[in-house]
Structures are given as structure tokens and as C-alpha cells.
Amino acid sequence: MRPEDTAWVWLDGRILPEVEAAVPVSDRGFVYGDGLFETLRSRGGHVFRLERHLERLERGAALTGLTVPRGMAAAVQSLVDHARLADGALRVTLTRGSGAGGLRPARNAAPTLVISARPAPAFEVAAPLAVGLSELRVCSRSPLAGLKTLGYLPNVVALLRTGADDALMLDDEGRVAQASSSNVFWVSRDGELRTPSPACGIRRGVTREAVLELAREAGLSAEEGEWTVDGLREAREAFVTSSLRGVAPIGSLDGAPIGDGTRGEITRRLAGGYRRLFERETD
């Protein structure tokens, strides 16, 4: 079997097929969701903004008391080199490791680091996304707000209950926060590009950061702020951003079209700009 024909995992310094990789059932990531993760994308052996992803993981680890193993960047690159994927979807998962049971971690627990690589989906979506408004909320006041923790059950349930391509989640103040696994942008009636601020408990995505950079370089007025869902409903156009999707247009919210329901001009420009930036930084 060729490396590029399968999904691969780096675990405890070894690279092996995903189907052969295993962690103990006592691992606290499995038992309590006690861990963090990052999703990344690679192209031709190069990972897009690997340093930014690992910096965010390390900030989360410092806040939660997780131990960060040394050599994470080298481990990611070794897996990418082995997998030889033209376009790779990567995930770095860090847990507090295994314990003897009980909520309090063992003092001598060694962290578990798992890195996976598989073929990535195409950047371009077949059609603008249908998004549904979820009743599940993002807790903006939590000290853990914005961290990419393993406890993703609210996001999963939000997506399942809406039955849409993606779920829009508000924060506990009723402000637009994020989609189930993406950041949200829209163009207001007066042509201003908007995206929720960190005060809304969002996860500040690396792709979101890159799109804000591109917008400002292009002379677009881009504002991070706090808005209700009415502003999004009345938008000219909207899109979501993530490492695997890039920039993907939103066509409707709860069945009602956003703008004319198609990929808007600013969405198109930023999607093209992001794709070029991704390709330039992974050459």
C-alpha cells in the first residue's frame, strides 16, 4: 500500500496506518474530553501556517495546565513527509494522558500526542451552504471560551439538530458567535465586512486571521464586533472560514436567502485571495 493511499498517524514517535493506531481507554481525552486539538491543511509537503496553529495550541495548554511535548513541529513535518499527500487534512490532538480514574489528574501522567493525516476535501464547495440557527449557545464568559477543546458535543448536536450544511451558534448574550466548526463573516448593507469579535467567545481561527489580513490589504473595511442575527439575515452576502474549507459561501439562513443566495463578489475575491495565499505559503 502506498503512503498516499491511506490515512496515517504519528503516535509515540511512530508513524503507522490509522487503522493500527490506538490509545488506552483510560486516556483522559477519551474519558473526559481533557485535551485540545488543531486542524491544519498541507500541500505538497508544506503545512499552512503551522507555527500559528501550534502557538494557539500552546496558549491553550498554558491556560489548562496541559504539558506540551517537545518537537511537535518536527513530528507534524515527519508525518507530512511520510504521507506524501498532494493536499492533506491534518489534526493535532493533545490530551492529559491516562490516569488511574477520577476527575483529578494523576501528578505523573504523561501527555498523549496524536497527529493524523488524510486526504483533504476540495476548497471549493459544490453550492453555497445552507445554514440553520441553533438553539445551543456559545459561553462567552467562560475562561475556556475560544479554546479548541475536545469537548465538541454542543457543536455536534447543533449541527445535527439544524439538519443543515452548517449550524450558526449565538453566544449567551444573543450575539452571533460562530458556525459549528467555522468562523462567520458577512457583508452588511453598507458594504462593510463584519465578523464576531473574541468577546463573543469565538475560536479565533488561523484562516479567519488570514482573511482579515487579506481584506485589509485589499482596502476593504473589516470590523470585528458584536451583532445580533438580524444583521446577518439582512446581509448582502456571507461566508464561513476554516482550515479545511478555506472560504465557503453561505447561501441561506433557516431557508431564507442571504443576499441573492449565491456566492457574492467579496466572497469570491477573498476566496481567490485566500487560495493564492495558501498556495504561495505552501510552495
Side-chain angles (χ1 to χ4, degrees), residues 96-201:
R96 209 176 300 271
S98 296
L103 195 60
R104 187 180 299 278
R107 291 184 178 181
N108 60 348
T112 298
L113 177 64
V114 181
I115 308 167
S116 63
R118 61 178 60 249
F123 269 132
E124 293 292 326
V125 296
L129 302 173
V131 174
L133 180 61
S134 174
E135 76 276 17
L136 279 81
R137 299 295 181 97
V138 172
C139 184
S140 64
R141 304 177 192 179
S142 168
L144 303 183
L147 299 187
K148 298 200 73 168
T149 66
L150 298 184
Y152 245 55
L153 185 59
N155 306 62
V156 173
V157 173
L159 185 60
L160 291 176
R161 286 190 178 179
T162 64
D165 296 324
D166 210 337
L168 178 69
M169 301 176 73
L170 309 181
D171 72 358
D172 40 19
E173 300 290 334
R175 303 168 295 193
V176 176
Q178 60 193 26
S180 60
S181 60
S182 309
N183 290 118
V184 181
F185 287 79
W186 66 93
V187 180
S188 67
R189 284 182 172 180
D190 59 6
E192 184 178 77
L193 183 64
R194 293 178 171 175
T195 190
S197 79
C200 301

Side-chain angles (χ1 to χ4, degrees), residues 23 148 202:
V23 297
K148 298 200 73 168
I202 66 166

